[in-house]
Amino acid sequence: MNFSELTAATAWIRHLDLDAELTVERPGNLWMLFSGDAESIRAICRTCIDLQSDGAWVTWDDASDDQRESATLFRYLLMAAD
């Protein structure tokens, strides 16, 4: 991801949640954590969104409809370490 893509992704998430925060996960993946609801997320879903269900992270594609509907915490992978 280049700088302009990173900026665009960050702006997109900030549009959903002004309190979104960046987190670094070893070995260096950069995630943005944000809150929201499934309807908002579904409207602009990207393929690398994860959602938290029962304290564990599940990819959007692997999550059940119930998990998607009940989730309120999401994360987006901004940058992955090589």
Side-chain angles (χ1 to χ4, degrees):
M1 179 177 280
N2 62 38
F3 183 74
S4 63
E5 290 171 327
L6 180 64
T7 302
T10 303
W12 167 73
I13 291 169
R14 293 260 187 237
H15 174 73
L16 292 176
D17 180 5
L18 293 175
D19 295 324
E21 60 184 57
L22 293 171
T23 62
V24 177
E25 179 185 278
R26 294 181 187 221
N29 293 345
L30 180 64
W31 297 89
M32 194 162 221
L33 298 181
F34 59 101
S35 298
D37 62 86
E39 286 301 318
S40 300
I41 305 306
R42 181 180 292 128
I44 49 175
C45 182
R46 302 292 193 268
T47 56
C48 46
I49 285 183
D50 291 348
L51 55 91
Q52 195 169 81
S53 177
D54 296 325
W57 290 105
V58 181
T59 65
W60 183 275
D61 291 340
D62 290 340
S64 69
D65 288 342
D66 288 343
Q67 287 174 312
R68 291 176 188 163
E69 292 300 326
S70 63
T72 57
L73 185 62
F74 301 87
R75 69 179 182 179
Y76 182 81
L77 182 59
L78 290 169
M79 195 178 311
D82 292 335

